[in-house]
Amino acid sequence: MDQWLQNQGPSMSYEDWTKKLEEVHTDLGNPLPREIEWVACKGSKPHFRGYTCGVWVLAHAMAAEAYKQEANNATFNPVTEFLDPFYHFVVKFLSCEWCAKNFRKEAVSFKMKEVATREQLVMWLWRVHNFVNKRLSGYHSDDPKFPKRQFPPPVLCSQCYTPDGAFDEEEVLKFLIRYFSDIRQDSVQACRINYADLTL
């Protein structure tokens, strides 16, 4: 596959790419599912949540893991080792071009290049994700059964809120590390929350 990609030059057609993927998939005995059944990111209809939710969950889980794994690495650079690759993935591979353009803007406005610590990495993703949720709340892509809300909701982390209802960012950081370090597929159904029932 690598050799084939190198022979394609700087660009290729969608048809060539999908044809090659299908060929490789068949040659390998069809290891990938034809249809995706989301668990934690399953929307109320097939066009809700799914892939973009999965990208965010993956990013948060990877940031939580980087936070733990890089604790004793004084040379860890969250921008070059995490955020730049994530940024390039989103802007190049997210199927929603409008979303990718917005993410480019958010990377600048939220000063992605200034993230310098493990803590800032986790919190940067959280801030941007909450900003995106706020912007998209009520938009046509918002799942009415799982509307976009600020995360975490009080029902998941009451200590993440100050008495006046603002986020306590120290508590949010602790929560995010715990929450995204312990994602288990088999317990997701028991933990699903209908955000429409929450009063925030």
Side-chain angles (χ1 to χ4, degrees):
M1 182 70 141
D2 184 53
Q3 186 62 48
W4 180 83
L5 282 170
Q6 290 178 22
N7 291 338
Q8 297 307 302
S11 66
M12 72 182 80
S13 71
Y14 172 79
E15 291 77 21
D16 288 345
W17 174 246
T18 54
K19 182 179 175 186
K20 184 61 176 179
L21 283 180
E22 185 60 37
E23 179 185 312
V24 169
H25 191 245
T26 302
D27 289 348
L28 294 174
N30 299 308
L32 301 174
R34 293 284 177 193
E35 294 185 26
I36 297 171
E37 181 67 30
W38 294 98
V39 179
C41 288
K42 184 175 184 171
S44 62
K45 293 185 179 176
H47 62 280
F48 288 135
R49 302 183 81 216
Y51 178 72
T52 53
C53 171
V55 169
W56 279 115
V57 170
L58 177 63
H60 289 298
M62 289 175 61
E65 190 62 22
Y67 176 87
K68 295 184 305 186
Q69 293 292 322
E70 303 298 339
N72 298 316
N73 181 358
T75 63
F76 175 65
N77 183 323
V79 173
T80 59
E81 296 180 50
F82 187 98
L83 289 173
D84 275 344
F86 178 66
Y87 169 87
H88 288 290
F89 172 79
V90 169
V91 299
K92 291 181 181 180
F93 296 107
L94 197 62
S95 57
C96 169
E97 188 175 333
W98 178 75
C99 304
K101 284 181 182 178
N102 279 321
F103 190 72
R104 278 190 204 102
K105 292 177 195 172
E106 287 141 11
V108 173
S109 64
F110 281 84
K111 301 178 181 175
M112 182 184 89
K113 296 292 188 179
E114 294 179 19
V115 173
T117 67
R118 299 172 304 123
E119 294 82 3
Q120 290 173 1
L121 165 63
V122 172
M123 297 305 285
W124 187 89
L125 281 170
W126 170 73
R127 284 186 192 98
V128 171
H129 194 179
N130 270 348
F131 177 81
V132 170
N133 280 348
K134 186 175 183 180
R135 180 170 37 81
L136 295 178
S137 180
Y139 196 69
H140 72 272
S141 63
D142 198 5
D143 189 334
K145 298 279 185 183
F146 304 98
K148 297 192 182 306
R149 301 273 195 248
Q150 297 300 282
F151 187 85
V155 70
L156 285 181
C157 184
S158 60
Q159 69 272 22
C160 290
Y161 290 83
T162 63
D164 65 351
F167 280 114
D168 178 333
E169 293 196 2
E170 284 184 34
E171 292 298 326
V172 169
L173 176 63
K174 292 178 202 172
F175 171 81
L176 293 171
I177 300 304
R178 277 192 320 272
Y179 186 83
F180 287 107
S181 293
D182 192 31
I183 295 177
R184 299 182 195 282
Q185 183 178 18
D186 57 350
S187 64
V188 169
Q189 292 299 333
C191 296
R192 285 192 95 164
I193 295 171
N194 186 346
Y195 289 104
D197 294 338
L198 299 176
T199 54
L200 300 177

